[in-house]
Amino acid sequence: MAISVRLCSGRTGFEVTTSTKIDLINASCLLKTKVATKHLLLMNYNGVEVSMYPSGRMIIKTADREESLEIAHRLLAELGLLISDDK
């Protein structure tokens, strides 16, 4: 699975892009969310704000690139979309 990370244009977090589509309704059953629709999922993941989109795109509001990548890996693993060898 291809995962890329880049700084958001507003410099408030990182945009993590994956090659995996995410069913947000099913994801909302597995993750504790603030808002869950088929178009957008908002959550506070261990104190970090995360926005998730069905395209596999995530906006993760951290100050550190590596932390955002680690959070994305953990979320994908919790959803069963990441095989440990992909990391």
Side-chain angles (χ1 to χ4, degrees):
M1 169 189 311
I3 298 177
S4 65
V5 181
R6 67 183 185 129
L7 187 63
C8 286
S9 59
R11 299 176 191 251
T12 59
F14 290 87
E15 177 182 5
V16 178
T17 307
T18 70
S19 59
T20 302
K21 303 287 185 205
I22 301 171
D23 182 341
L24 298 182
I25 299 300
N26 286 338
S28 69
C29 295
L30 300 171
L31 302 168
K32 185 176 179 183
T33 62
K34 290 181 181 178
V35 175
T37 70
K38 66 180 184 178
H39 304 291
L40 172 71
L41 190 142
L42 300 174
M43 73 181 88
N44 187 314
Y45 188 79
N46 296 331
V48 176
E49 288 184 43
V50 178
S51 304
M52 191 179 292
Y53 302 88
S55 63
R57 178 176 173 247
M58 297 180 216
I59 304 296
I60 302 175
K61 294 191 177 183
T62 64
D64 181 69
R65 180 184 187 279
E66 294 303 317
E67 182 183 5
S68 65
L69 186 58
E70 180 60 32
I71 289 170
H73 276 282
R74 282 189 266 152
L75 284 169
L76 291 170
E78 284 185 36
L79 295 173
L81 300 173
L82 182 71
I83 300 169
S84 60
D85 295 331
D86 286 345
K87 188 175 178 185

Coordinates of all heavy atoms in Angstrom, one line a residue:
M1 N 0.8 -1.2 0.0 CA 0.0 0.0 0.0 C 0.9 1.2 0.0 O 1.8 1.3 0.8 CB -0.9 0.0 1.2 CG -1.6 1.3 1.5 SD -2.4 1.5 3.0 CE -3.4 0.0 3.2
A2 N 0.6 2.2 -0.9 CA 1.3 3.4 -1.0 C 0.8 4.4 0.0 O -0.4 4.7 0.0 CB 1.3 3.9 -2.4
I3 N 1.6 5.0 0.8 CA 1.2 6.1 1.8 C 2.2 7.2 1.6 O 3.4 7.0 1.6 CB 1.2 5.6 3.2 CG1 0.3 4.4 3.4 CG2 0.9 6.7 4.2 CD1 0.3 3.8 4.8
S4 N 1.6 8.4 1.4 CA 2.5 9.6 1.3 C 2.0 10.6 2.3 O 0.8 10.7 2.7 CB 2.4 10.2 -0.1 OG 1.1 10.7 -0.4
V5 N 2.9 11.5 2.7 CA 2.7 12.5 3.7 C 3.2 13.8 3.3 O 4.3 13.9 2.8 CB 3.3 12.1 5.1 CG1 3.0 13.2 6.1 CG2 2.9 10.8 5.6
R6 N 2.4 14.9 3.4 CA 2.9 16.2 3.1 C 2.3 17.2 4.0 O 1.2 17.0 4.6 CB 2.7 16.6 1.7 CG 1.2 16.8 1.3 CD 1.0 17.0 -0.2 NE -0.4 17.3 -0.4 CZ -0.8 18.4 -1.1 NH1 0.0 19.2 -1.6 NH2 -2.1 18.5 -1.2
L7 N 2.9 18.3 4.2 CA 2.5 19.4 5.1 C 1.2 20.0 4.5 O 1.2 20.3 3.3 CB 3.5 20.5 5.3 CG 3.3 21.6 6.3 CD1 3.1 21.0 7.7 CD2 4.4 22.6 6.2
C8 N 0.2 20.3 5.3 CA -1.0 20.9 4.8 C -0.7 22.3 4.4 O 0.2 23.0 4.9 CB -2.1 20.9 5.8 SG -2.9 19.3 6.1
S9 N -1.5 22.9 3.4 CA -1.3 24.2 3.0 C -1.4 25.3 4.1 O -0.7 26.3 4.1 CB -2.2 24.6 1.8 OG -3.6 24.5 2.3
G10 N -2.2 25.0 5.1 CA -2.4 25.9 6.2 C -1.3 25.7 7.3 O -1.3 26.4 8.3
R11 N -0.5 24.7 7.1 CA 0.6 24.3 8.0 C 0.1 24.0 9.4 O 0.8 24.2 10.4 CB 1.7 25.4 8.1 CG 2.3 25.6 6.8 CD 3.3 26.8 6.8 NE 3.7 27.1 5.5 CZ 4.9 26.9 5.0 NH1 5.8 26.3 5.8 NH2 5.3 27.2 3.8
T12 N -1.1 23.5 9.5 CA -1.7 23.1 10.8 C -1.7 21.6 11.0 O -2.1 21.2 12.1 CB -3.2 23.6 10.9 OG1 -3.9 23.0 9.8 CG2 -3.3 25.1 10.8
G13 N -1.2 20.9 10.1 CA -1.1 19.4 10.2 C -0.6 18.8 8.9 O 0.0 19.5 8.1
F14 N -0.8 17.5 8.8 CA -0.2 16.8 7.7 C -1.3 16.1 6.9 O -2.3 15.6 7.5 CB 0.8 15.8 8.1 CG 2.1 16.5 8.6 CD1 2.2 16.9 9.9 CD2 3.1 16.7 7.7 CE1 3.4 17.5 10.3 CE2 4.3 17.3 8.1 CZ 4.4 17.8 9.4
E15 N -1.2 16.1 5.6 CA -2.1 15.3 4.7 C -1.5 14.0 4.4 O -0.4 13.9 3.9 CB -2.4 16.1 3.5 CG -3.3 15.3 2.5 CD -3.5 16.1 1.2 OE1 -2.9 17.1 1.0 OE2 -4.3 15.5 0.4
V16 N -2.2 12.9 4.9 CA -1.7 11.6 4.6 C -2.6 11.0 3.5 O -3.8 11.0 3.7 CB -1.7 10.7 5.9 CG1 -1.3 9.3 5.6 CG2 -0.9 11.3 7.0
T17 N -2.0 10.5 2.4 CA -2.8 10.0 1.3 C -2.4 8.5 1.2 O -1.2 8.1 1.2 CB -2.4 10.7 0.0 OG1 -2.6 12.1 0.2 CG2 -3.4 10.3 -1.1
T18 N -3.5 7.7 1.1 CA -3.2 6.2 0.9 C -3.9 5.8 -0.4 O -4.7 6.5 -1.0 CB -3.9 5.4 2.0 OG1 -5.3 5.5 1.9 CG2 -3.4 5.9 3.4
S19 N -3.5 4.6 -0.9 CA -4.1 4.1 -2.1 C -5.3 3.2 -1.8 O -5.8 2.5 -2.7 CB -3.1 3.3 -2.9 OG -2.6 2.3 -2.1
T20 N -5.8 3.3 -0.6 CA -6.9 2.4 -0.1 C -8.2 3.2 0.1 O -8.2 4.2 0.8 CB -6.5 1.7 1.2 OG1 -5.3 1.0 1.0 CG2 -7.6 0.8 1.7
K21 N -9.3 2.8 -0.5 CA -10.6 3.4 -0.2 C -11.1 2.9 1.2 O -10.8 1.8 1.6 CB -11.6 2.9 -1.3 CG -11.2 3.2 -2.7 CD -11.3 4.7 -3.0 CE -11.0 5.0 -4.4 NZ -10.5 6.3 -4.7
I22 N -11.7 3.9 1.9 CA -12.2 3.6 3.2 C -13.7 3.7 3.3 O -14.3 4.8 2.9 CB -11.5 4.5 4.2 CG1 -10.0 4.4 4.2 CG2 -12.1 4.2 5.6 CD1 -9.3 5.4 5.0
D23 N -14.4 2.7 3.8 CA -15.8 2.8 4.0 C -16.0 3.5 5.4 O -15.8 2.9 6.4 CB -16.5 1.4 4.0 CG -18.0 1.4 4.2 OD1 -18.5 2.4 4.7 OD2 -18.6 0.4 3.9
L24 N -16.4 4.7 5.4 CA -16.4 5.5 6.6 C -17.5 5.1 7.5 O -17.4 5.2 8.7 CB -16.6 7.0 6.3 CG -15.4 7.6 5.5 CD1 -15.6 9.1 5.3 CD2 -14.1 7.4 6.2
I25 N -18.6 4.6 7.0 CA -19.7 4.1 7.9 C -19.2 2.9 8.7 O -19.4 2.8 9.9 CB -21.0 3.8 7.0 CG1 -21.5 5.0 6.3 CG2 -22.1 3.2 7.9 CD1 -21.8 6.2 7.2
N26 N -18.6 1.9 8.0 CA -18.0 0.8 8.7 C -16.9 1.2 9.7 O -16.8 0.7 10.8 CB -17.5 -0.3 7.7 CG -18.6 -1.0 7.1 OD1 -19.8 -1.1 7.5 ND2 -18.3 -1.6 5.9
A27 N -16.1 2.2 9.2 CA -15.0 2.6 10.1 C -15.6 3.3 11.4 O -15.0 3.1 12.4 CB -14.2 3.6 9.3
S28 N -16.7 4.0 11.2 CA -17.3 4.6 12.4 C -17.7 3.6 13.5 O -17.9 4.0 14.6 CB -18.4 5.6 12.0 OG -19.5 4.8 11.6
C29 N -18.0 2.4 13.0 CA -18.4 1.3 14.0 C -17.2 0.8 14.8 O -17.3 0.3 15.8 CB -19.1 0.2 13.3 SG -20.6 0.7 12.5
L30 N -16.0 1.0 14.2 CA -14.8 0.4 14.8 C -14.0 1.5 15.6 O -13.2 1.1 16.4 CB -13.9 -0.2 13.7 CG -14.5 -1.3 12.9 CD1 -13.6 -1.7 11.7 CD2 -14.7 -2.5 13.8
L31 N -14.2 2.7 15.2 CA -13.4 3.8 15.8 C -14.4 4.8 16.6 O -15.5 4.9 16.2 CB -12.7 4.7 14.8 CG -11.7 3.9 13.9 CD1 -11.3 4.8 12.7 CD2 -10.5 3.5 14.7
K32 N -13.8 5.4 17.6 CA -14.6 6.4 18.4 C -14.6 7.7 17.6 O -13.5 8.3 17.5 CB -14.1 6.5 19.8 CG -14.9 7.4 20.6 CD -14.4 7.5 22.0 CE -15.3 8.5 22.8 NZ -14.8 8.6 24.2
T33 N -15.7 8.2 17.1 CA -15.7 9.3 16.2 C -16.6 10.5 16.8 O -17.4 10.2 17.7 CB -16.3 9.0 14.9 OG1 -17.6 8.6 15.0 CG2 -15.5 7.9 14.2
K34 N -16.3 11.7 16.4 CA -17.1 12.8 16.8 C -18.3 13.0 15.8 O -19.4 13.2 16.1 CB -16.3 14.1 16.8 CG -15.3 14.3 17.8 CD -14.6 15.6 17.7 CE -13.6 15.8 18.7 NZ -12.8 17.1 18.6
V35 N -17.9 12.9 14.5 CA -18.9 13.0 13.4 C -18.6 11.9 12.4 O -17.4 11.7 12.0 CB -18.7 14.4 12.7 CG1 -19.6 14.4 11.4 CG2 -19.0 15.5 13.6
A36 N -19.6 11.2 11.9 CA -19.4 10.2 10.9 C -20.5 10.2 9.8 O -21.6 10.1 10.2 CB -19.3 8.8 11.6
T37 N -20.1 10.4 8.6 CA -21.0 10.4 7.5 C -20.3 9.5 6.4 O -19.1 9.2 6.6 CB -21.4 11.7 6.9 OG1 -20.2 12.3 6.2 CG2 -21.8 12.7 8.0
K38 N -21.0 9.3 5.3 CA -20.3 8.5 4.2 C -19.3 9.4 3.5 O -18.5 8.8 2.7 CB -21.3 7.9 3.3 CG -22.1 9.0 2.5 CD -23.0 8.3 1.5 CE -23.8 9.3 0.6 NZ -24.7 8.6 -0.3
H39 N -19.2 10.7 3.8 CA -18.3 11.6 3.1 C -17.2 12.1 4.0 O -16.1 12.5 3.5 CB -19.1 12.8 2.6 CG -20.2 12.5 1.7 ND1 -20.0 12.0 0.4 CD2 -21.5 12.6 1.8 CE1 -21.2 11.8 -0.2 NE2 -22.1 12.1 0.7
L40 N -17.3 12.0 5.3 CA -16.3 12.6 6.2 C -16.4 11.9 7.6 O -17.5 11.6 8.1 CB -16.6 14.1 6.4 CG -15.8 14.8 7.4 CD1 -14.3 14.9 7.0 CD2 -16.4 16.2 7.6
L41 N -15.3 11.7 8.2 CA -15.2 11.1 9.5 C -14.3 12.0 10.3 O -13.2 12.2 9.9 CB -14.7 9.7 9.5 CG -14.8 8.8 10.7 CD1 -15.2 7.4 10.3 CD2 -13.5 8.9 11.5
L42 N -14.8 12.5 11.5 CA -14.0 13.4 12.3 C -13.8 12.7 13.7 O -14.7 12.1 14.2 CB -14.6 14.7 12.6 CG -14.9 15.6 11.4 CD1 -15.7 16.8 11.8 CD2 -13.6 16.0 10.7
M43 N -12.5 12.7 14.2 CA -12.3 12.0 15.4 C -11.1 12.7 16.2 O -10.4 13.4 15.6 CB -12.0 10.5 15.2 CG -10.6 10.3 14.6 SD -10.3 8.5 14.4 CE -11.0 8.4 12.7
N44 N -11.1 12.4 17.5 CA -9.9 12.7 18.3 C -9.2 11.4 18.6 O -9.8 10.6 19.4 CB -10.4 13.5 19.5 CG -9.3 14.0 20.3 OD1 -8.3 13.4 20.6 ND2 -9.4 15.3 20.8
Y45 N -8.1 11.2 18.0 CA -7.4 9.9 18.2 C -6.2 10.1 19.1 O -5.2 10.8 18.7 CB -6.9 9.4 16.8 CG -6.3 8.0 16.8 CD1 -7.2 6.9 16.9 CD2 -5.0 7.8 16.8 CE1 -6.6 5.6 16.9 CE2 -4.4 6.5 16.9 CZ -5.3 5.5 16.9 OH -4.7 4.2 17.0
N46 N -6.3 9.7 20.3 CA -5.3 9.9 21.4 C -4.9 11.3 21.5 O -3.7 11.6 21.5 CB -4.1 9.0 21.1 CG -4.4 7.5 21.1 OD1 -5.3 7.1 21.9 ND2 -3.7 6.7 20.4
G47 N -5.8 12.2 21.5 CA -5.5 13.6 21.6 C -5.2 14.4 20.4 O -4.9 15.6 20.4
V48 N -5.3 13.7 19.2 CA -4.9 14.3 17.9 C -6.2 14.4 17.1 O -6.8 13.4 16.9 CB -3.8 13.5 17.2 CG1 -3.5 14.1 15.9 CG2 -2.5 13.5 18.1
E49 N -6.4 15.5 16.5 CA -7.6 15.7 15.6 C -7.3 15.0 14.2 O -6.3 15.3 13.6 CB -7.9 17.1 15.4 CG -8.6 17.8 16.6 CD -9.0 19.2 16.3 OE1 -9.5 19.5 15.2 OE2 -8.7 20.1 17.1
V50 N -8.2 14.2 13.8 CA -8.1 13.5 12.5 C -9.4 13.6 11.7 O -10.5 13.4 12.2 CB -7.8 12.0 12.7 CG1 -7.6 11.3 11.4 CG2 -6.5 11.8 13.5
S51 N -9.2 14.0 10.4 CA -10.3 14.0 9.5 C -10.0 12.9 8.5 O -8.9 12.8 8.0 CB -10.4 15.3 8.7 OG -10.5 16.4 9.6
M52 N -11.0 12.1 8.1 CA -10.8 11.0 7.2 C -11.8 11.0 6.1 O -13.0 11.3 6.4 CB -10.9 9.6 8.0 CG -10.4 8.4 7.3 SD -10.6 6.9 8.3 CE -9.4 7.2 9.5
Y53 N -11.4 10.7 4.9 CA -12.2 10.8 3.7 C -12.3 9.4 3.0 O -11.3 8.7 3.1 CB -11.7 11.9 2.8 CG -11.6 13.2 3.4 CD1 -10.5 13.6 4.1 CD2 -12.7 14.1 3.4 CE1 -10.4 14.9 4.7 CE2 -12.7 15.3 4.0 CZ -11.5 15.7 4.7 OH -11.5 16.9 5.3
P54 N -13.3 9.1 2.3 CA -13.5 7.8 1.7 C -12.4 7.5 0.6 O -12.1 6.3 0.4 CB -14.8 7.8 1.0 CG -15.3 9.2 1.0 CD -14.5 10.0 2.0
S55 N -11.7 8.5 0.1 CA -10.6 8.3 -0.9 C -9.4 7.7 -0.2 O -8.4 7.3 -0.9 CB -10.3 9.6 -1.5 OG -9.8 10.5 -0.6
G56 N -9.3 7.7 1.1 CA -8.1 7.2 1.8 C -7.3 8.4 2.3 O -6.3 8.2 3.0
R57 N -7.7 9.6 2.1 CA -7.0 10.8 2.5 C -7.4 11.1 3.9 O -8.5 11.0 4.4 CB -7.5 12.0 1.6 CG -6.9 13.3 1.9 CD -7.4 14.3 0.9 NE -6.9 15.6 1.3 CZ -7.8 16.6 1.6 NH1 -9.0 16.4 1.6 NH2 -7.3 17.8 1.9
M58 N -6.3 11.5 4.7 CA -6.5 11.9 6.1 C -5.8 13.2 6.3 O -4.7 13.4 5.8 CB -5.9 10.9 7.0 CG -6.5 9.5 7.0 SD -5.7 8.4 8.1 CE -5.7 6.9 7.2
I59 N -6.4 14.1 7.1 CA -5.8 15.3 7.6 C -5.5 15.0 9.1 O -6.5 14.8 9.9 CB -6.6 16.5 7.5 CG1 -7.1 16.7 6.0 CG2 -5.9 17.8 8.0 CD1 -5.9 16.9 5.0
I60 N -4.3 15.0 9.5 CA -3.9 14.7 10.9 C -3.1 15.9 11.4 O -2.1 16.3 10.9 CB -3.0 13.4 10.9 CG1 -3.7 12.3 10.3 CG2 -2.5 13.1 12.3 CD1 -2.9 11.0 10.1
K61 N -3.7 16.5 12.5 CA -3.2 17.7 13.0 C -2.1 17.5 14.1 O -2.4 17.5 15.3 CB -4.3 18.6 13.6 CG -5.2 19.0 12.5 CD -6.2 20.1 12.9 CE -7.0 20.6 11.7 NZ -8.0 21.6 12.1
T62 N -0.9 17.2 13.6 CA 0.2 17.1 14.5 C 1.3 18.0 14.0 O 1.3 18.5 12.9 CB 0.8 15.6 14.5 OG1 1.3 15.4 13.1 CG2 -0.2 14.6 14.8
A63 N 2.3 18.2 14.9 CA 3.4 19.1 14.5 C 4.5 18.3 13.9 O 5.5 18.9 13.3 CB 3.9 19.8 15.8
D64 N 4.4 17.0 13.9 CA 5.5 16.1 13.5 C 5.1 15.2 12.4 O 4.1 14.5 12.5 CB 6.0 15.3 14.7 CG 7.2 14.4 14.3 OD1 8.3 14.9 14.1 OD2 6.9 13.2 14.3
R65 N 5.8 15.2 11.3 CA 5.5 14.3 10.1 C 5.5 12.8 10.5 O 4.6 12.1 10.1 CB 6.5 14.6 9.0 CG 6.3 13.8 7.8 CD 7.5 14.0 6.8 NE 7.2 13.4 5.5 CZ 7.4 12.1 5.3 NH1 7.9 11.3 6.2 NH2 7.1 11.6 4.1
E66 N 6.5 12.4 11.2 CA 6.6 11.0 11.6 C 5.4 10.6 12.5 O 4.9 9.5 12.4 CB 7.9 10.7 12.3 CG 9.1 10.9 11.4 CD 9.0 10.0 10.2 OE1 8.7 8.8 10.3 OE2 9.3 10.5 9.1
E67 N 5.0 11.5 13.4 CA 3.8 11.1 14.3 C 2.6 11.0 13.4 O 1.8 10.1 13.7 CB 3.6 12.2 15.3 CG 2.5 11.9 16.3 CD 2.3 13.0 17.3 OE1 2.9 14.1 17.2 OE2 1.4 12.8 18.2
S68 N 2.4 11.8 12.4 CA 1.2 11.7 11.6 C 1.2 10.4 10.8 O 0.2 9.8 10.7 CB 1.1 12.9 10.7 OG 2.1 13.0 9.7
L69 N 2.4 10.0 10.3 CA 2.5 8.8 9.6 C 2.2 7.6 10.5 O 1.5 6.6 10.1 CB 3.9 8.6 9.0 CG 4.1 7.5 8.1 CD1 3.1 7.5 6.9 CD2 5.5 7.5 7.6
E70 N 2.7 7.6 11.8 CA 2.4 6.6 12.7 C 0.9 6.5 13.1 O 0.4 5.4 13.1 CB 3.2 6.8 14.0 CG 3.1 5.7 15.1 CD 3.5 4.3 14.6 OE1 4.4 4.2 13.8 OE2 2.8 3.4 15.1
I71 N 0.3 7.6 13.2 CA -1.2 7.6 13.5 C -1.9 7.0 12.3 O -2.8 6.2 12.5 CB -1.6 9.0 13.9 CG1 -1.1 9.4 15.2 CG2 -3.2 9.1 13.8 CD1 -1.3 10.9 15.6
A72 N -1.6 7.4 11.1 CA -2.2 6.8 9.9 C -2.1 5.3 9.9 O -3.0 4.6 9.6 CB -1.7 7.4 8.7
H73 N -0.9 4.8 10.2 CA -0.6 3.4 10.2 C -1.5 2.7 11.2 O -2.1 1.6 11.0 CB 0.9 3.1 10.5 CG 1.7 3.1 9.3 ND1 1.8 2.1 8.3 CD2 2.6 4.1 8.8 CE1 2.6 2.4 7.4 NE2 3.1 3.6 7.7
R74 N -1.5 3.3 12.4 CA -2.4 2.7 13.5 C -3.8 2.6 13.1 O -4.5 1.6 13.4 CB -2.1 3.4 14.8 CG -0.8 3.0 15.5 CD -0.7 3.5 16.9 NE 0.0 4.8 16.8 CZ -0.1 5.8 17.6 NH1 -1.0 5.8 18.6 NH2 0.6 6.9 17.4
L75 N -4.3 3.7 12.6 CA -5.8 3.8 12.2 C -6.1 2.7 11.1 O -7.1 2.0 11.2 CB -6.1 5.2 11.7 CG -6.3 6.2 12.7 CD1 -6.4 7.6 12.1 CD2 -7.5 6.0 13.6
L76 N -5.2 2.6 10.1 CA -5.4 1.7 9.0 C -5.4 0.2 9.6 O -6.1 -0.6 9.2 CB -4.4 1.9 7.9 CG -4.6 3.1 7.1 CD1 -3.4 3.4 6.2 CD2 -5.9 3.1 6.3
A77 N -4.5 0.0 10.5 CA -4.4 -1.3 11.2 C -5.6 -1.6 12.0 O -6.1 -2.8 11.9 CB -3.1 -1.4 12.1
E78 N -6.1 -0.7 12.7 CA -7.4 -0.9 13.5 C -8.6 -1.2 12.6 O -9.5 -1.9 12.9 CB -7.7 0.3 14.3 CG -6.8 0.5 15.5 CD -7.2 1.6 16.5 OE1 -8.4 1.9 16.6 OE2 -6.3 2.2 17.0
L79 N -8.5 -0.6 11.4 CA -9.6 -0.9 10.4 C -9.4 -2.2 9.6 O -10.2 -2.5 8.8 CB -9.7 0.3 9.4 CG -10.2 1.6 10.1 CD1 -10.1 2.8 9.0 CD2 -11.6 1.5 10.6
G80 N -8.3 -2.8 9.8 CA -8.0 -4.0 9.1 C -7.5 -3.8 7.7 O -7.6 -4.7 6.9
L81 N -7.0 -2.6 7.4 CA -6.6 -2.3 6.0 C -5.1 -2.3 5.8 O -4.7 -2.0 4.7 CB -7.2 -0.9 5.6 CG -8.7 -0.8 5.7 CD1 -9.1 0.7 5.5 CD2 -9.4 -1.7 4.6
L82 N -4.4 -2.5 6.9 CA -2.9 -2.5 6.8 C -2.4 -3.8 7.3 O -2.7 -4.2 8.4 CB -2.4 -1.3 7.7 CG -0.9 -1.1 7.7 CD1 -0.5 -0.6 6.3 CD2 -0.5 -0.1 8.7
I83 N -1.6 -4.4 6.5 CA -0.9 -5.6 6.9 C 0.4 -5.2 7.5 O 1.1 -4.3 7.0 CB -0.7 -6.5 5.6 CG1 -2.1 -6.9 5.0 CG2 0.1 -7.8 6.0 CD1 -2.0 -7.6 3.7
S84 N 0.8 -5.9 8.5 CA 2.0 -5.4 9.3 C 3.3 -5.3 8.4 O 4.1 -4.6 8.6 CB 2.3 -6.4 10.4 OG 2.5 -7.7 9.9
D85 N 3.4 -6.1 7.3 CA 4.5 -6.0 6.4 C 4.5 -4.7 5.6 O 5.6 -4.3 5.1 CB 4.5 -7.2 5.4 CG 4.7 -8.5 6.1 OD1 5.3 -8.6 7.1 OD2 4.1 -9.5 5.6
D86 N 3.4 -4.0 5.5 CA 3.3 -2.8 4.7 C 4.0 -1.6 5.4 O 4.4 -0.7 4.8 CB 1.9 -2.4 4.5 CG 1.2 -3.2 3.4 OD1 1.9 -3.9 2.7 OD2 0.0 -3.2 3.4
K87 N 4.2 -1.7 6.7 CA 4.8 -0.6 7.5 C 6.2 -0.6 7.3 O 7.1 -0.2 7.1 CB 4.4 -0.8 9.0 CG 4.8 0.4 9.8 CD 4.3 0.2 11.2 CE 4.8 1.3 12.1 NZ 4.5 1.2 13.4

